[in-house]
Amino acid sequence: MGTTARKMIRSCSQWRLLIAVSIMASAVSGRDLNQTTATDKEMKVQGGISRRPLVTALIVFGDSIVDPGNNNNLPDTRMKANHAPYGKDFTNHVATGRFSNALLPSDIIAQRLNLKPLLQPWLNVEHTPEDLLTGVSFASGATGFDPLTPQLVRVFTMDQELEFFDAYRRQLVSIAGEPEASRIISNAFFFVCAGTDDFANTYFMSPYRAGDYDIPSYVSLLVSGAESFLRNASARGARKMAFTGMPPIGCVPSQRTIGGGTRRRCEARRNYAALMYNKALQELINKLNGEPGFGTLVVYFDIYDIIEELAVHGDRYGFTEMTHGCCGSGLIEVTMLCDTRYMGVCDDVDKHVFFDSYHPTQRAYEIIVDHMFKNYVPLMHL
């Protein structure tokens, strides 16, 4: 795609983990599956200076980028990461369901907000009341704003994630009472990361949408779904929400393999679609923020540029491999195909931008979250 065209488009259940992750657990408990080596005291007191939480809670919706294990027990989907080598660098090398070698952006964000070392899934672990008071993730790997996307892979829909939030709020009321539950939610940081699977999987890799929609009309479908979600979240009490755009889909290893030709270049049509969506999403967010009575500050988080930088010029950050995942051949392996029973894994994960052919490594996620906190979190006036 040419520079001029690009400039025109871009503007872009359950209960118990530890809030203060302790070291007293058995290897089979739900508590172990989400513990880290850091304690709450270590996280909040550094250099003798106590750091207060910036928000009451972190509430997360979306897809595999922020799903810490909600898909684990879904019987009919293969979109899971609860097997090795996922979790390769997690405490005790446990595959919790996070699509990463270790932490996800949602975990890193929880740390940067001084809340807790990990953001737990809503499902598949037992929470303490303290866990719920500081937030959870309702995300489901491979979901999206197109209703067909989660249906094709049998995962939770974005509407179901909102229903999980409703159940979560009822738990908050039972723990702390209605006034405190309302205070927690109104002062929480809401984070939404979804949409990539709609284009990467449903539109470009299935026969069900491309025949009926060109890229602009499919963007309209997705933005309509995003608007519905935003309005429903606002009606449920969300007051400060971060909403991510799409990454450069065509630069993800699997998409390079499928659409990038023999040299596996970044696939231009997928990136064009992502940029068009990002522009339309920003216009939607500006409209909602200016709408009388909407009641929620929504901040657009542009992740396109930083991920493109990592995927194309990762050597500037010390990466030596930007086009292959760490798992297997690095060309196509993800979820069930990324499994140590059948293939190996790279020796030095930190040299790779991507862990599998779709998801970044923890080190890359840390750089992405640094970018968010430098450029977008200040706009939320936490």
Side-chain angles (χ1 to χ4, degrees):
M1 179 174 54
T3 301
T4 302
R6 181 162 163 169
K7 286 182 177 178
M8 289 176 63
I9 297 169
R10 188 187 307 189
S11 158
C12 191
S13 189
Q14 294 131 351
W15 283 91
R16 184 188 327 146
L17 174 77
L18 285 160
I19 184 174
V21 186
S22 59
I23 306 176
M24 53 167 283
S26 71
V28 296
S29 68
R31 191 176 290 241
D32 267 327
L33 293 180
N34 282 281
Q35 76 175 41
T36 67
T37 56
T39 65
D40 187 57
K41 182 177 180 180
E42 290 169 340
M43 181 186 66
K44 291 188 178 179
V45 181
Q46 296 184 356
I49 300 174
S50 178
R51 298 191 300 157
R52 297 177 60 187
L54 301 180
V55 294
T56 52
L58 175 61
I59 308 295
V60 172
F61 302 90
D63 56 26
S64 58
I65 300 299
V66 287
D67 176 4
N70 286 309
N71 278 10
N72 284 358
N73 291 337
L74 279 175
D76 297 324
T77 189
R78 297 178 178 180
M79 302 300 160
K80 302 176 185 179
N82 56 348
H83 58 271
Y86 294 106
K88 177 181 184 294
D89 300 302
F90 201 83
T91 300
N92 298 327
H93 313 293
V94 177
T96 61
R98 288 170 169 81
F99 293 79
S100 170
N101 60 302
L103 302 184
L104 297 178
S106 44
D107 300 310
I108 302 166
I109 291 169
Q111 294 175 13
R112 302 289 170 86
L113 294 172
N114 306 331
L115 282 172
K116 50 188 173 183
L118 294 171
L119 190 74
Q120 311 90 330
W122 169 242
L123 303 175
N124 302 319
V125 295
E126 295 182 355
H127 302 285
T128 65
E130 289 81 7
D131 294 328
L132 297 181
L133 292 172
T134 49
V136 293
S137 172
F138 305 105
S140 180
T143 196
F145 293 116
D146 178 351
L148 183 60
T149 298
Q151 182 181 337
L152 289 175
V153 289
R154 297 183 175 91
V155 298
F156 297 116
T157 68
M158 296 298 289
D159 284 343
Q160 286 174 307
E161 291 186 24
L162 286 170
E163 291 171 6
F164 291 151
F165 173 79
D166 292 339
Y168 164 78
R169 192 188 191 287
R170 290 192 292 270
Q171 291 285 4
L172 282 187
V173 171
S174 69
I175 293 168
E178 177 62 45
E180 180 64 6
S182 295
R183 186 190 72 84
I184 290 170
I185 290 169
S186 64
N187 290 282
F189 182 111
F190 283 72
F191 186 82
V192 184
C193 179
T196 303
D197 289 283
D198 293 312
F199 264 122
N201 298 331
T202 306
Y203 190 82
F204 286 112
M205 294 181 63
S206 84
Y208 302 109
R209 288 303 197 201
D212 297 324
Y213 295 86
D214 59 11
I215 289 176
S217 61
Y218 193 64
V219 163
S220 296
L221 175 70
L222 299 187
V223 171
S224 176
E227 179 173 4
S228 175
F229 181 90
L230 279 165
R231 291 190 182 280
N232 285 328
S234 179
R236 285 166 162 83
R239 292 297 168 258
K240 293 186 177 182
M241 180 177 293
F243 209 94
T244 68
M246 285 190 194
I249 303 169
C251 294
V252 170
S254 62
Q255 306 303 302
R256 286 177 180 262
T257 300
I258 294 165
T262 57
R263 301 184 67 178
R264 298 183 66 250
R265 297 182 184 275
C266 291
E267 202 281 308
R269 193 160 176 257
R270 286 166 169 80
N271 286 353
Y272 169 83
L275 288 168
M276 182 174 287
Y277 169 84
N278 290 347
K279 182 176 185 294
L281 180 62
Q282 289 175 77
E283 291 171 352
L284 167 67
I285 288 172
N286 290 338
K287 181 189 80 170
L288 292 176
N289 283 334
E291 185 177 293
F294 179 62
T296 301
L297 171 63
V298 184
V299 176
Y300 172 75
F301 278 38
D302 182 2
I303 58 174
Y304 188 101
D305 289 339
I306 184 61
I307 296 179
E308 182 181 51
E309 176 78 1
L310 292 173
V312 177
H313 301 294
D315 56 308
R316 297 173 182 172
Y317 297 84
F319 294 102
T320 58
E321 179 51 70
M322 289 79 78
T323 68
H324 291 68
C326 174
C327 183
S329 70
L331 298 175
I332 202 71
E333 295 87 351
V334 64
T335 62
M336 65 178 180
L337 296 178
C338 178
D339 191 320
T340 50
R341 292 177 296 177
Y342 315 119
M343 61 194 59
V345 66
C346 68
D347 293 329
D348 193 346
V349 178
D350 284 346
K351 295 297 184 181
H352 284 246
V353 172
F354 294 93
F355 185 62
D356 59 23
S357 69
Y358 195 89
H359 303 93
T361 57
Q362 176 182 309
R363 182 163 174 262
Y365 280 143
E366 288 170 345
I367 294 169
I368 295 164
V369 173
D370 282 343
H371 177 78
M372 292 177 179
F373 270 73
K374 178 181 178 181
N375 294 283
Y376 305 111
V377 171
L379 302 177
M380 302 187 72
H381 309 297
L382 301 180

